[in-house]
Amino acid sequence: MWQAGKRQASKAFNLYANIDILRPYFDVEPIQVRNRLMESMIPIRMINFPQKIAGELYGPLMLVFTMVAILLHGMKSSGTVIVEGTLMGTAIGTCFGYWLGVSSFIYFVAYLCNSQITMLQTLSLLGYGLFGHCIVLFITYNIHFHSLFYVFWLVIGGLSTLRMVAVLLSRTVGHTQRLIICGSITALHMFFLLYLHFAYHKVVEGILDTLDGQNMAPPFQRVARDLSLGPNSVLNVTLQALPAQSR
Amino acid sequence: MQPPGPAVRLHSNSPPGDFTFVSSTEAEDLTGSIATPDVKLNLGGDFTKESTATTFLRQRGYGWLLEVEENDPEDNKPLLEELDIDLKDIYYKIRCVLMPMPSLGFNRQVVRDNPDFWGPLAVVLFFSMISLYGQFRVVSWIITIWIFGSLTIFLLARVLGGDVAYGQVLGVIGYSLLPLIVIAPALLVVGSFEIVSTILKLFGVFWAAYSAASLLVGEEFKTKKPLLIYPIFLLYIYFLSLYTGV
């Protein structure tokens, strides 16, 4: 009885202690979050001095949740059907997987390249980098223009990527190292946006194309191919036997 | 009946209250006897006619296996009372959530200050029932989102300086699904008009989020209110998204 009570009490205590551990990462003012969101779109060309990265997780977490909601909207409007699994699970898995997975990867690369960055800062940097993605996806899931997406992809996605690149540049020393870390984060970040757009948008594009009716690609057709009846004796025998059977 | 005699007795010339030992050789006969107490061993209930199995078990000392417990008077309470389900209370809370305007005169803080478990659970299960059509996996998702979404809100609320318990958050989030239940039949009717249904969905989510946020986001958050309102809003978007297709 005493043991059980003690365990209960220590568990409850641990829970509340853990909340206090979380506090510095989540306790922010709305105006701080707004400023950081703005700053995530403004690359600063100051690479001689390490730029500050706020180690805060409220903004990134909310951006990931927002992106889940936007992805769900995109999936619904494009009529995506996922055979094994659910839309909800896919959306949550994609967003959190990208955020946590790519952050860990970048942290690993940063470790190899000797960058001055902690895991917390990586999470925060990449999380705020998702703000551009959210804007682009939200607009282009609702307004279906191909060219609009590419412009947004380059401008807004590019700006948020540039911001991350600038921060990482300022915290890395050496040309090769800078090239490796910035190249990998740029490629991952930009292709993720492309993937998200086209993976859950294609169906609507297809419908639009068929509605236009002009630049519609001819559907795939089965075309009879010439069979070379040379050395393939089995095929020859079969081909000869078939008419005999049908008679 | 005499007590079984110890060789100790009150000596006549010693001060009262003192025991002294007397030698048992010169003492008078100190024997006594204990009357057999009238105790019946009742190991197996009073069966008048016992089967061989019963006798066998009883002989081996396993007669207690066949005992039947008498009914406790506590067991006769109605089930609703036993499970702490107060239907009147739940009905009042439902009305509080559905009409979140302060001008209507409901004491809305009851939903927050006096959390119960069964009302929200019933609401969440009902919501999953109406979402069930054609998608069985939705039930587990709705319950998962309810529990973990409430946990997230609870942690954020604590971290941002609020003072709520997890049970309260769970209750408020669960009850505030009611507006979504209300707009669900309307969505069926206007489903073919995309603009109308979008507006209706937005209205439902805002209604639910307003209802929950007005209860959970108290004055203690000061300027940080939007930081907690936003995740609550997102949570109801997820719920609605689960309704329209998991």
Side-chain angles (χ1 to χ4, degrees), chain A residues 15-91:
Chain A
L15 181 66
Y16 281 88
N18 285 339
I19 291 174
D20 278 338
I21 291 173
L22 288 177
R23 185 156 292 164
Y25 309 129
F26 287 93
D27 200 4
V28 282
E29 291 288 331
I31 198 151
Q32 284 177 314
V33 177
R34 206 191 61 199
N35 288 343
R36 284 176 192 155
L37 286 178
M38 295 287 172
E39 282 165 14
S40 77
M41 305 295 293
I42 305 167
I44 305 166
R45 264 198 82 223
M46 182 186 64
I47 55 175
N48 303 320
F49 190 75
Q51 290 180 26
K52 269 178 80 176
I53 308 172
E56 172 243 327
L57 292 178
Y58 177 86
L61 192 69
M62 285 306 124
L63 280 172
V64 174
F65 279 133
T66 313
M67 206 159 89
V68 171
I70 294 173
L71 270 191
L72 281 173
H73 170 68
M75 289 171 174
K76 292 281 163 59
S77 63
S78 69
T80 309
V81 175
I82 290 160
V83 182
E84 293 284 326
T86 54
L87 297 182
M88 194 78 190
T90 316

Side-chain angles (χ1 to χ4, degrees), chain A residues 28-244:
Chain A
V28 282
E29 291 288 331
I31 198 151
Q32 284 177 314
V33 177
R34 206 191 61 199
N35 288 343
R36 284 176 192 155
L37 286 178
M38 295 287 172
E39 282 165 14
S40 77
M41 305 295 293
I42 305 167
I44 305 166
R45 264 198 82 223
M46 182 186 64
I47 55 175
N48 303 320
F49 190 75
Q51 290 180 26
K52 269 178 80 176
I53 308 172
E56 172 243 327
L57 292 178
Y58 177 86
L61 192 69
M62 285 306 124
L63 280 172
V64 174
F65 279 133
T66 313
M67 206 159 89
V68 171
I70 294 173
L71 270 191
L72 281 173
H73 170 68
M75 289 171 174
K76 292 281 163 59
S77 63
S78 69
T80 309
V81 175
I82 290 160
V83 182
E84 293 284 326
T86 54
L87 297 182
M88 194 78 190
T90 316
I92 292 180
T94 314
C95 295
F96 273 94
Y98 175 76
W99 182 43
L100 299 175
V102 174
S103 296
S104 320
F105 177 71
I106 292 295
Y107 181 63
F108 176 64
V109 175
Y111 176 73
L112 292 185
C113 297
N114 227 349
S115 302
Q116 299 171 23
I117 194 162
T118 61
M119 186 67 197
L120 181 68
Q121 286 171 326
T122 324
L123 282 172
S124 176
L125 187 69
L126 191 74
Y128 274 111
L130 290 175
F131 183 52
H133 283 28
C134 287
I135 297 177
V136 175
L137 289 176
F138 185 69
I139 294 174
T140 54
Y141 279 150
N142 289 307
I143 305 167
H144 313 284
F145 287 117
H146 240 81
S147 48
L148 186 76
F149 170 70
Y150 283 115
V151 172
F152 273 33
W153 178 62
L154 279 177
V155 175
I156 300 181
L159 274 179
S160 68
T161 312
L162 265 184
R163 154 85 186 175
M164 293 198 295
V165 166
V167 172
L168 283 174
L169 273 183
S170 72
R171 287 174 165 259
T172 318
V173 183
H175 284 295
T176 322
Q177 285 93 325
R178 282 179 173 177
L179 199 63
I180 292 172
I181 194 166
C182 295
S184 54
I185 200 169
T186 310
L188 282 169
H189 208 60
M190 297 299 271
F191 277 114
F192 183 59
L193 184 52
L194 265 188
Y195 164 73
L196 285 185
H197 180 75
F198 285 110
Y200 306 117
H201 196 240
K202 218 181 201 168
V203 182
V204 177
E205 290 291 329
I207 292 168
L208 285 181
D209 281 349
T210 42
L211 285 181
D212 286 348
Q214 286 149 6
N215 49 357
M216 192 170 59
F220 290 110
Q221 284 172 343
R222 279 173 181 275
V223 184
R225 280 176 296 174
D226 298 330
L227 293 170
S228 63
L229 301 178
N232 197 338
S233 56
V234 178
L235 193 62
N236 279 341
V237 171
T238 323
L239 280 178
Q240 282 158 11
L242 271 176

